[in-house]
Amino acid sequence: MSKGHFMMKIAIVTGASSGMGKEFVTAIDREYQLDEIWVIARREDRLNALKSECKTPVRPLPLDLSNVSSFETIELLLREEKPQIELLVNDAGYGLFGTFEELPMMQQLGIIDVNDKALTAMCYLCLPYMKEGAKIVNLGSNSSWQPVPYLNVYAASKAYVLSFSRGLGKELEKDGRGIHVMCVCPGWIKTEFMDTAVVDDTVKYYDRWYTAKQVVDKAMKDLRKHKK
């Protein structure tokens, strides 16, 4: 990939069609001076709706990040546009409640594809287009910190996100480029995530609920303080 002349300044947000991804787009639009925000998710209509909600030009990229061909599309677009990426937010992800044996295997493998493989690929593809002061925000979870039965693969996938983010952050800190990595690890959030995750009453206890806006507002505040 070329590391030559950078033109437009952009942010990239995955999982941008709803929930925290959408809130991140709104917050970035409010706080950053950018030429474009590239928004990635499967639902094109939701991405197009963001155009009228943001003052910053929005470029919808309707892609399914569980499909590796999406990475080729993103890589080609970056190579063509050669933008300067100010901020990458890896929000795309999902989970399922239930016992490991009873949940469909392919859906559980899909959790790893989106939560881990896609996040890793996005970091790899975007780093050559980042300069000093650029930031990466990866969405972990409160379940990043310990094993969680009945949310097992999701929790394990988020443990990877936390470990990867810390390791990458240290590498980028040591190489002197001044690119900051932060992993956000929230608790229970009222978003469409729960509509997909809850398939039965396996999990009955939810200690405290947060809104997507509360989490994103706190994340943006922490990002300004260079928290990890």
Side-chain angles (χ1 to χ4, degrees), residues 115-133:
N115 295 10
D116 295 338
K117 288 170 69 175
L119 177 144
T120 305
M122 289 302 299
C123 289
Y124 188 88
L125 293 172
C126 290
L127 273 170
Y129 300 92
M130 297 180 127
K131 286 182 155 184
E132 184 174 355

